[in-house]
Amino acid sequence: MSDAPFKQEDVVVQLPSSGQLEETLSDYEHLAEAWAQRGWLSRAIALCKVILRLEPDHEPTRRLFTKLDARWMDPLAPPGHPVPRIVVQVPATEAGSSGSGAQLRVSLLARLGERAFLSVMESLELREFQPGETIVAEGEPGNSLFAIVEGSVEVVRTLKSGRRRTVAFLGEGDFFGEASLLSDVPRLASVKAFERTAVLELTRDRLEGLIQRHPSVGEALHAYHRERLLDDVLRGNPIFRMLPPERRESLARDFQLCARPEGATLLTQGKPVDALYLLLRGRCQVLHQRPEGGERLLRTLVEGDMFGEISLMLGLSATATVRAESACLLLRLDWGSCDRYLMDQPEVCEALSRLGNERLLCTAEMFLETPTRGEAPPRV
């Protein structure tokens, strides 16, 4: 086999004749091993999937899966300790058509034992998309997750104005789609092939079957998803960014990830509040309950917005009702954790107080400008 840098178009996979099958499988097996040795793990997996499609019981390929599993595991990690994220860098000259270097984030796979790992590999489907072809569409149900084997994709979201904007490009080794799959919320963005792109797909049906046989698969995927979310949130949120790094790490362990369906009530006006919330996905309405009945929309919360801070800082019951306008994904931090990690940080307390006061003033001004008959402005 040639050891030249790989490009997707260099390998044409077709069903061989019966006389050629053994030779073809041997060639593919050696090529997969060579890619694995170079660190091209996603491509090695994809080619193994092709081999098993041709011969499901091909024993050398199953042994190669085991080798990949062992290579990804950290032998120095103590039992039960999370395996650090492994990022494999491929030089741009050898990265195929993506041109930007490949990264395979395998922390979720490295948590699995051999049997669970092999079951996951057997459940993956290799698929190919042409430039411009939609892989997932915003707003549709999330029924699968994907890992990019070759090529790159464009992530596009619809803004409030209705315009569509590209928010990210993903390349070889990147995962996408796990948020909707695991949280049972609609697709948060559309993903289109930017060039000829091959992906490995794990569907919901196959994932549910895997979890029944190997509960560790579900635990690993949820842990991976949670870590990605927390990493993005704690580094990107201006309030949590004020915390020292070691405090952020401790705080991350206490966050609870929760999904709520459209129409769910998250806070009820006049009722006690027991947590601080951060909206990760979806939209929520903040509503004032009128004394004579009915509701008035005060504002709409969007991704990245926080709520519950007024009760945290002022010790009040909920000053408004918060209801999910769409299916939502949230981070929840109970009062005990807030006390431990936030309340002794002056800058954080000041920022939370400022946010709460601004919202109370904005609400008061709204009622003063357009009073409703028989309704007094809310207490500030």
Side-chain angles (χ1 to χ4, degrees):
M1 295 294 297
S2 170
D3 198 32
F6 165 74
K7 290 186 179 180
Q8 180 75 21
E9 59 267 26
D10 291 339
V11 178
V12 178
V13 177
Q14 56 185 359
L15 185 65
S17 65
S18 57
Q20 298 174 319
L21 179 60
E22 184 175 349
E23 181 180 355
T24 299
L25 293 180
S26 178
D27 286 345
Y28 287 172
E29 176 195 342
H30 284 91
L31 182 57
E33 176 70 34
W35 286 347
Q37 290 175 354
R38 281 192 161 197
W40 295 347
L41 303 182
S42 57
R43 295 174 183 174
I45 293 173
L47 191 52
C48 286
K49 293 298 298 181
V50 172
I51 296 172
L52 292 177
R53 184 181 297 174
L54 297 174
E55 187 174 312
D57 296 323
H58 193 252
E59 187 59 33
T61 299
R62 292 179 174 276
R63 289 199 299 269
L64 177 57
F65 272 150
T66 303
K67 291 179 184 179
L68 293 176
D69 178 41
R71 183 170 298 153
W72 288 346
M73 298 297 286
D74 180 2
L76 301 179
H81 185 77
V83 178
R85 176 176 294 180
I86 304 170
V87 179
V88 179
Q89 297 284 353
V90 178
T93 56
E94 298 183 353
S97 57
S98 62
S100 60
Q103 297 181 341
L104 181 60
R105 298 168 179 83
V106 295
S107 61
L108 75 166
L109 299 177
R111 302 168 190 267
L112 303 177
E114 179 180 329
R115 289 185 179 179
F117 177 85
L118 290 174
S119 293
V120 170
M121 294 301 101
E122 292 168 355
S123 299
L124 294 171
E125 284 294 325
L126 181 62
R127 300 182 61 192
E128 185 174 303
F129 295 87
Q130 299 303 316
E133 190 174 356
T134 298
I135 302 175
V136 301
E138 184 175 3
E140 291 185 350
N143 293 319
S144 55
L145 63 85
F146 302 84
I148 302 174
V149 174
E150 168 81 4
S152 59
V153 301
E154 182 181 14
V155 183
V156 181
R157 299 197 65 182
T158 303
L159 305 179
K160 293 181 184 178
S161 62
R163 294 177 55 195
R164 295 173 63 79
R165 185 180 74 182
T166 298
V167 295
F169 287 93
L170 304 177
E172 182 180 334
D174 281 323
F175 289 86
F176 64 91
E178 82 285 348
S180 296
L181 177 63
L182 298 177
S183 304
D184 203 25
V185 296
R187 296 290 188 192
L188 308 170
S190 295
V191 179
K192 297 183 177 182
F194 189 68
E195 55 188 321
R196 184 181 177 189
T197 300
V199 299
L200 291 167
E201 180 181 17
L202 180 62
T203 64
R204 182 184 300 277
D205 289 343
R206 293 196 173 193
L207 176 60
E208 290 174 351
L210 277 171
I211 292 174
Q212 287 182 354
R213 300 193 304 273
H214 305 286
S216 61
V217 173
E219 295 168 3
L221 283 171
H222 281 284
Y224 174 77
H225 175 46
R226 173 187 169 86
E227 288 171 7
R228 286 186 61 173
L229 282 175
L230 288 174
D231 185 55
D232 291 342
V233 168
L234 296 183
R235 285 188 297 103
N237 184 276
I239 293 179
F240 295 129
R241 201 165 53 230
M242 298 176 183
L243 296 171
E246 64 276 6
R247 182 65 65 93
R248 287 202 301 268
E249 292 178 9
S250 298
L251 182 67
R253 291 192 289 268
D254 281 20
F255 267 116
Q256 297 174 335
L257 186 63
C258 50
R260 295 292 183 268
E262 178 182 350
T265 298
L266 307 174
L267 298 182
T268 301
Q269 182 175 322
K271 301 286 186 175
V273 180
D274 60 358
L276 185 67
Y277 293 88
L278 183 66
L279 182 59
L280 298 178
R281 300 288 187 268
R283 295 163 63 88
C284 292
Q285 293 181 333
V286 181
L287 304 159
H288 177 71
Q289 306 289 329
R290 295 189 175 104
E292 71 276 13
E295 299 173 330
R296 178 177 181 177
L297 178 65
L298 300 180
R299 68 183 63 87
T300 299
L301 301 175
V302 296
E303 296 171 12
D305 281 343
M306 188 177 294
F307 59 94
E309 79 290 337
I310 296 176
S311 298
L312 172 64
M313 303 309 298
L314 301 179
L316 300 175
S317 297
T319 57
T321 293
V322 178
R323 186 172 298 129
E325 182 180 314
S326 64
C328 293
L329 185 63
L330 306 106
L331 282 176
R332 178 183 182 276
L333 191 66
D334 62 46
W335 283 166
S337 298
C338 290
D339 286 337
R340 281 193 297 275
Y341 301 119
L342 303 181
M343 302 310 290
D344 63 345
Q345 301 290 311
E347 290 185 352
V348 172
C349 289
E350 181 181 351
L352 289 171
S353 295
R354 185 166 56 249
L355 175 63
N357 288 332
E358 287 173 355
R359 286 179 171 173
L360 287 173
L361 288 171
C362 180
T363 300
E365 290 173 358
M366 182 186 302
F367 278 92
L368 289 171
E369 290 173 0
T370 55
T372 301
R373 184 176 179 181
E375 184 175 286
R379 183 182 62 184
V380 178

